[in-house]
Amino acid sequence: NSLGMNHRTVCVTGIPTQFPQERMQDKLFIHFLRSRNGGGEIVDITFLPEDPSAALITFERAEVAQQVLRTGTHTLSAFNKDYTLTAKPYYTEVKPDEIFLRVS
């Protein structure tokens, strides 16, 4: 299996887990929607079941995701405290039967 990079999705780690996910999702949404944080229109935010301190954020445009990655470290202000989040590229496994879809 080869790895493919999903250019519109970033993996954000360091999300505090002591709050309800719905509330954290709202905070992430607001933070990464703001252009001053390098953000933009968000399509989806999904928490990773195996690691609740990480979420996949999919943006409408790949350029926005790249800006968020270039910023690297983000300070999220939530519930009267600042949290340091790290944005990393998100790699997906490419299954052999999906490869033909990408060769166009």
Side-chain angles (χ1 to χ4, degrees), residues 11 24 26 36 40 43 64 77 85:
C11 181
M24 282 318 301
D26 292 344
R36 69 182 170 94
V43 178
V64 174
S77 297
L85 307 181

Side-chain angles (χ1 to χ4, degrees), residues 32-46:
F32 287 104
L33 201 58
R34 289 192 180 132
S35 55
R36 69 182 170 94
N37 296 326
E41 287 299 316
I42 294 167
V43 178
D44 186 52
I45 296 179
T46 308

Side-chain angles (χ1 to χ4, degrees), residues 5 15 42-43 70 93 100 102:
M5 188 174 161
I15 300 165
I42 294 167
V43 178
R70 272 197 298 277
E93 276 193 32
F100 75 92
R102 297 165 196 272

Side-chain angles (χ1 to χ4, degrees), residues 9-13 15 17 21 45-57 90:
T9 302
V10 299
C11 181
V12 174
T13 58
I15 300 165
T17 54
Q21 279 190 342
I45 296 179
T46 308
F47 286 90
L48 297 181
E50 68 275 14
D51 181 3
S53 71
L56 301 179
I57 302 179
Y90 173 56

Side-chain angles (χ1 to χ4, degrees), residues 10 38 62-74 87-88:
V10 299
E63 307 85 81
V64 174
Q66 298 314 304
Q67 271 172 243
V68 166
L69 289 173
R70 272 197 298 277
T71 305
T73 304
H74 293 260
K88 295 189 273 221

